[in-house]
Amino acid sequence: MAGKVLLHGGAGEWNISKDEEERVKDALRKAVMAGMKALKKGSALDAVEESVASMEDSSVLNAGRGAYPNIEGDIELDAGIMDGKTLSAGAVASVRNVPNPVRLARLVMEKTQHVLLVADGAERLAKGFSLYEAFKLSTARKKRYTAEIRKFIGQKWIKDLPIAFEKHLDTVGAVAIDDEGNLAAATSTGGTAFKLPGRVGDSPIPGAGFYASNGHGAASASGVGEAIMKYLLCMKVVASLGSLASPFSVLKTEINSLRGVYGPELAGVVAIDSRGVPSVYTDTKAIAIGYGVADGSTRVDIARKEKLDELNTLLIRQIPG
Ligand code: ASP
């Protein structure tokens, strides 16, 4: 089977200008290339790590240096990675000054006996493996952020703050299958904007923001972590991917069921099943995706919800774009 990488740059509004759209698509294209390169000489696990690290480096998505800060203006990152072959997982949460938390998550998986390290402890591990590099919100973003937050202070409860303030920013994630049929998934985020310090969403929680299991599938989610983690969205998607239903209808069923419990416009997922069938669904306005097949084409898209039927057909037929 030819290896494949399917990645997302987040599920959300995606109400952005043409220029911003080009920057995002460029970041998605680079991430597909990074994943494909890794697939050629490595495994599905290498591919999801490289694709996600590339998006973390892009500064145009809600991950790595470009991520949303918390309510105090500090960037705190979450990431997780899972190997479908061994069912091993690694994750980090609330880490500062680690530009590539997905790489740190893989270290947690491979070099420790633990699954999830947070804050200070995770940062100490990062220092030991040269993954620590001090960085702050850029001055321009700090200015925009401070102006935005002023609108809300004193007017609303924290729970009424919006979950985004820069419209083009979103969480990143990737799923992949290699030519031996191994599956992997990874997700990385700065979390929701205006989050409280220490808030952790679904992205670093196995079964919530990501999950992979050979023989079933791999999934990575984006959306409102508080809903996704209570629903254990990726676990439910992967568990059903081995069923007779088409992967697209599995994603649709699970995301609609989450909507039934927690409300509309909360989640999107990308997945690959054990036969290598890709699928994408979101209940938000749109989802940014990138797709690459080792011996063929690539496609990037910021797909509106109403175009997802069409997108899934194009992905399955490997039509480039
Ligand atoms: N799921 C992420 C979180 O809640 C945010 C996102 O996907 O945009 O932290």
Side-chain angles (χ1 to χ4, degrees), residues 65 69 73 75 135-147 165-166:
R65 285 188 182 78
I75 294 178
F135 66 89
K136 279 196 169 123
L137 204 59
S138 70
T139 318
R141 291 187 70 220
K142 183 126 197 167
K143 221 168 132 189
R144 276 209 304 280
Y145 177 77
T146 312
F165 76 99
E166 285 165 318

Side-chain angles (χ1 to χ4, degrees), residues 170-171 189 191-192 199 201-203 222-225:
D170 244 315
T171 289
T189 189
T192 47
R199 177 266 187 192
D202 61 304
S203 307
S222 171
V224 177

